[in-house]
């Protein structure tokens, strides 16, 4: 039985984990994908489906954390053009 | 926050000058001394007049403001001589009167403005919708996921980390701004 607050905490955890990437594209992708994923399953009513989705998201959280560690070993050498402020 | 006390004050050796109002109460001697150990480095006491209770003769404090540089402020408090007519007990309540020194723990307006700006961008609100301190996120058509997103955006903007439980309590713009200020102060 997954409660509403647990789901929100998981969303927050995923967003927080995604922030740690040194790469702009990975950061943006994780943010976009988590929000899209949670929004897609927003209106699920069947409790078993909710639990399934929750378990999936938890697995993805593990993946993100692992990937963050990997990609931090190879940070980008130049700044991404999207991160440069418009002058 | 500043502490406001309404006290009956008789006299103190450092403060003798201020108590000119007490010339008529010179006969009353201090019966007990209150030492206030205050953790704040600057304590500003504003003593306001208490309205006398009609059925008794009470000593009235003058309205003065004292700047206490030291951490300890000793105030001699006069035992109130209450002549109660027909009443055996008379209680004096120390009520906190409103002062001009604002004790507001509300957020600064710049923070609120910044928060409003971010909220507007996140929810793509048009200019007609008013976003004030008191607007709830639900009023603006944001559900809990949108709130999470907004809070994340705020964290990024201000460079702070909000705790899980605290972040879940955010319902209005004002609350968000307050929490942000708290965290910014802790960081500084």
């Amino acid at each position: 039985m997954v409660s509403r607050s647990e789901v929100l905490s998981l969303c927050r955890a995923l967003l927080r984990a995604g922030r740690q990437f040194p790469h702009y594209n990975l950061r943006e992708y994780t943010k976009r994908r988590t929000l899209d994923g949670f929004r897609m399953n927003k209106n699920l009513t069947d409790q078993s489906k909710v639990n399934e989705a929750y378990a999936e998201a938890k697995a993805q959280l593990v993946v993100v954390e692992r990937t963050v560690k990997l990609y931090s070993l190879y940070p980008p050498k130049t700044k991404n053009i999207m991160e440069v402020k418009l002058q | 926050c500043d502490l406001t006390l309404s006290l009956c004050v008789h006299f103190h050796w450092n403060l003798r000058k201020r108590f000119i109002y007490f010339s008529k109460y010179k006969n009353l001697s201090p019966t007990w001394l209150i030492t206030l150990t205050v953790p704040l480095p600057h304590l500003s006491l504003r003593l306001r007049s208490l309205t006398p209770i009609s059925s008794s003769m009470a000593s009235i404090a003058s309205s003065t403001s004292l700047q206490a540089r030291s951490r300890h402020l000793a105030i001699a408090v006069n035992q109130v001589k209450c002549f109660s007519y027909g009443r055996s007990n008379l209680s004096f309540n120390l009520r906190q009167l409103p002062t001009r020194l604002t004790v507001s723990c509300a957020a600064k307006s710049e923070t609120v403005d910044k928060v409003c700006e971010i909220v507007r961008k996140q929810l793509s609100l048009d200019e007609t919708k008013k976003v004030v301190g008191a607007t709830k996120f639900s009023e603006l058509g944001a559900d809990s996921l949108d709130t999470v997103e907004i809070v994340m955006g705020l964290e990024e903007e201000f460079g702070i980390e909000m705790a899980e439980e605290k972040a879940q309590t955010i319902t209005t713009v004002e609350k968000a701004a307050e929490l942000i200020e708290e965290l910014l102060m802790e960081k500084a």
Side-chain angles (χ1 to χ4, degrees), chain A residues 36-45 50, chain B residues 143-146:
Chain A
D36 283 350
F38 276 87
R39 283 211 186 99
M40 216 162 56
N41 296 328
K42 191 165 70 166
N43 299 316
L44 284 181
T45 47
V50 169
Chain B
D143 64 348
S144 48
L145 272 178
D146 290 322

Side-chain angles (χ1 to χ4, degrees), chain B residues 119 123 131-142 171-174:
Chain B
V119 169
L123 299 173
V131 186
V132 185
T135 30
K136 290 173 85 167
F137 289 127
S138 46
E139 283 172 16
L140 302 166
T171 42
T172 67
V173 174
E174 185 67 42

Side-chain angles (χ1 to χ4, degrees), chain A residues 20-86:
Chain A
Q20 293 165 27
F21 279 111
H23 304 72
Y24 171 84
N25 52 338
L26 288 162
R27 270 202 307 270
E28 289 298 303
Y29 171 72
T30 26
K31 193 160 87 171
R32 196 174 58 231
R33 184 68 184 88
T34 61
L35 288 169
D36 283 350
F38 276 87
R39 283 211 186 99
M40 216 162 56
N41 296 328
K42 191 165 70 166
N43 299 316
L44 284 181
T45 47
D46 191 6
Q47 191 54 251
S48 61
K49 292 239 162 64
V50 169
N51 292 348
E52 245 181 67
Y54 184 80
E56 249 183 75
K58 261 209 132 137
Q60 293 299 317
L61 175 60
V62 174
V63 169
V64 169
E65 290 186 348
R66 190 169 59 223
T67 323
V68 158
K69 292 199 180 93
L70 268 176
Y71 276 81
S72 307
L73 294 172
Y74 301 98
K77 295 207 181 86
T78 53
K79 212 170 183 187
N80 197 309
I81 186 71
M82 300 294 284
E83 291 179 317
V84 175
K85 285 208 173 117
L86 277 176

Side-chain angles (χ1 to χ4, degrees), chain B residues 39-79:
Chain B
L40 307 166
H42 296 286
L43 174 69
S44 191
L45 276 187
R46 180 149 293 189
L47 307 168
R48 296 296 201 93
S49 341
L50 291 173
T51 54
I53 297 179
S54 52
S55 67
S56 68
M57 290 173 11
S59 55
I60 305 169
S62 67
S63 81
T64 58
S65 57
L66 321 164
Q67 290 297 119
R69 297 266 151 62
S70 63
R71 283 169 168 250
H72 301 277
L73 178 68
I75 303 176
V77 179
N78 177 39
Q79 178 80 36

